[in-house]
Amino acid sequence: MKNGETVMAERKPLLGLTLDELRGVAASFGLPAFVGKQMADWLYKKQARDIADMTNLSKVAREKLATAYCVGCAEPVDCQRSKDGTVKYLYRTADGHFVETVFIPDADRATLCVSCQVGCKMGCAFCMTGRQGYVASLTAADILNQIYALPERERLTNIVFMGQGEPFDNLENVLRATKVLTADWGYGWSPRRITVSSVGLAKGLVRFLDESDCHLAISLHHPLPEGRAQLMPAEKAFGIRDVVEVLKQYDFCRQRPLDPSAPRQRRLSFEYIVFDGVNDTLRHADALLELVRDLDCRVNLIRFHDIPDTPLHGVGDEKMVRFRDYLTAHGLFTTIRASRGQDIFAACGLLSTAKNEAQREQTCALNKNHNYHD
């Protein structure tokens, strides 16, 4: 690595810092507090790529900042385009790992599916990210860079944390990123434009519900604990029935203690991949209805995309429609999510950077061996 690149790598990113933290950065260099607000504007309103671009800061201020900080913006290193218009981007994190991000245009909507970890600890039987295993958690800067450096960022209408990783297993950085996205000094987005998906980890669920107004999506995939445990090991640690009991304490409950006329600021949904012979019968539909009976929620049915070495298989359109119509007829708002980007392995459950990480490890080993012999 060249000397200049080494210095660059050691500089801390400004991206992901809050307004108060940016003011603290300014103060650490003897700069007035208003410089912190100027930096926030350059980062989150004007999308500056370099501290040198922050032209309403004095040259001296910019030079001081650049000795220890950088913006933290890194362009995608690769992209793949699907025949349906979906685009999958590969990003390198500040630590040199790799994550995938999916841009999904749809008429007047454009959704970005962001990642929060490299790999995942959850080990779900139907997910390629789970097959990869856990490698690292992303910083808030790494998470936000997926938006910041996105070529189509001006078209975005929605963001979903449904990419690689379990958001509640990296909750501190996910909450920091969503705070930047929704704060007046940040992107100024409505929380209703952001959905965070989780298997429902106990350690993060209550904190997320207390500290965030973003929409919540729970990965369900089976309404019965024993069946869900076979698909999702996380069920054994904190079961779906316990998750539902927690959710009932919040504004998703049909009989909530709050003012019934008060507007709901966030939406609750359950994600349900339909597997042939596993969770697709009327018995499962009835169990699902019973599970969420007291919740104001919706269910998104998802087609299963085959992955290697699994006994799981998806169902045809006829069975998907029949399952949806049965739930809808019994009062549960249910949709079938359109499958996007399957031809570039960008669809639900297909994201993985295992090959990129293996190549990275090989390169690191070769460099280490080369340095040793030198």
Side-chain angles (χ1 to χ4, degrees):
M1 183 177 286
K2 297 177 182 179
N3 291 337
E5 293 173 337
T6 303
V7 172
M8 178 67 74
E10 292 175 350
R11 293 192 296 168
K12 299 176 183 177
L14 294 172
L15 190 62
L17 297 186
T18 67
L19 177 58
D20 286 342
E21 289 168 339
L22 290 170
R23 286 171 173 158
V25 169
S28 70
F29 289 100
L31 302 171
F34 68 79
V35 172
K37 180 61 168 64
Q38 290 175 322
M39 284 192 286
D41 288 343
W42 279 108
L43 288 169
Y44 305 128
K45 309 296 185 188
K46 302 175 183 177
Q47 309 279 332
R49 297 303 180 99
D50 193 282
I51 289 175
D53 297 334
M54 301 180 181
T55 51
N56 62 346
L57 276 65
S58 69
K59 183 179 180 181
V60 171
R62 282 177 278 161
E63 289 175 347
K64 285 183 177 180
L65 287 170
T67 60
Y69 290 90
C70 61
V71 167
C73 174
E75 302 293 335
V77 296
D78 192 20
C79 79
Q80 294 176 268
R81 298 185 182 275
S82 168
K83 60 187 179 183
D84 65 21
T86 300
V87 187
K88 183 171 70 172
Y89 288 102
L90 181 69
Y91 285 94
R92 183 181 284 111
T93 71
D95 287 339
H97 295 292
F98 295 91
V99 291
E100 293 181 326
T101 307
V102 183
F103 175 72
I104 310 167
D106 184 18
D108 59 346
R109 290 170 58 91
T111 301
L112 188 68
C113 180
V114 302
S115 296
C116 64
Q117 292 180 317
V118 181
C120 185
K121 299 177 185 177
M122 299 301 106
C124 296
F126 46 83
C127 181
M128 288 298 293
T129 307
R131 290 275 186 91
Q132 179 177 347
Y134 173 76
V135 178
S137 287
L138 303 192
T139 65
D142 289 328
I143 294 172
L144 289 168
N145 183 62
Q146 297 168 70
I147 304 157
Y148 203 88
L150 183 76
E152 300 89 351
R153 67 170 181 253
E154 298 302 325
R155 296 171 56 189
L156 284 182
T157 61
N158 299 86
I159 292 172
V160 294
F161 283 77
M162 296 183 181
Q164 292 178 270
E166 163 56 51
F168 288 1
D169 191 43
N170 188 19
L171 187 59
E172 193 69 44
N173 287 309
V174 168
L175 286 177
R176 176 179 284 271
T178 57
K179 182 175 183 178
V180 170
L181 289 168
T182 58
D184 290 342
W185 47 261
Y187 281 72
W189 278 34
S190 165
R192 283 174 282 187
R193 297 173 63 181
I194 303 169
T195 300
V196 177
S197 175
S198 173
V199 300
L201 293 186
K203 68 177 184 179
L205 181 59
V206 172
R207 186 177 172 198
F208 175 81
L209 292 170
D210 286 342
E211 297 183 26
S212 175
D213 291 324
C214 296
H215 295 324
L216 173 65
I218 296 294
S219 295
L220 174 57
H221 310 306
H222 202 295
L224 301 173
E226 59 274 17
R228 190 170 186 258
Q230 292 179 7
L231 296 171
M232 307 171 65
E235 169 67 25
K236 300 171 186 176
F238 191 64
I240 190 60
R241 290 174 180 167
D242 295 320
V243 171
V244 168
E245 287 304 310
V246 171
L247 295 173
K248 287 180 182 178
Q249 307 307 310
Y250 290 82
D251 54 349
F252 312 118
C253 185
R254 294 187 187 277
Q255 304 297 327
R256 56 192 181 134
L258 305 176
D259 178 4
S261 63
R264 290 174 172 81
Q265 295 300 310
R266 53 190 171 183
R267 183 177 64 237
L268 171 65
S269 59
F270 289 90
E271 310 296 301
Y272 195 97
I273 299 176
V274 185
F275 302 104
D276 186 34
V278 175
N279 63 352
D280 61 339
T281 69
L282 293 185
R283 178 176 71 90
H284 296 108
D286 286 333
L288 177 52
L289 289 166
E290 177 61 25
L291 178 69
V292 303
R293 177 168 51 88
D294 295 325
L295 294 174
D296 184 6
C297 63
R298 66 178 62 189
V299 170
N300 295 318
L301 302 181
I302 304 170
R303 292 175 175 82
F304 176 58
H305 304 101
D306 289 344
I307 63 175
D309 303 319
T310 178
L312 298 170
H313 300 283
V315 302
D317 290 345
E318 183 178 345
K319 183 170 283 190
M320 289 281 285
V321 170
R322 185 163 64 245
F323 200 83
R324 178 201 64 190
D325 291 350
Y326 184 85
L327 295 176
T328 300
H330 287 77
L332 180 56
F333 181 61
T334 307
T335 64
I336 298 175
R337 185 192 293 171
S339 180
R340 300 289 300 274
Q342 186 173 358
D343 57 323
I344 57 170
F345 296 94
C348 181
L350 298 183
L351 298 185
S352 174
T353 52
K355 289 183 178 180
N356 304 96
E357 289 297 318
Q359 291 171 356
R360 174 185 182 273
E361 289 298 317
Q362 185 178 26
T363 300
C364 289
L366 288 172
N367 289 340
K368 183 177 181 180
N369 186 55
H370 176 73
N371 292 336
Y372 174 79
H373 287 295
D374 283 349

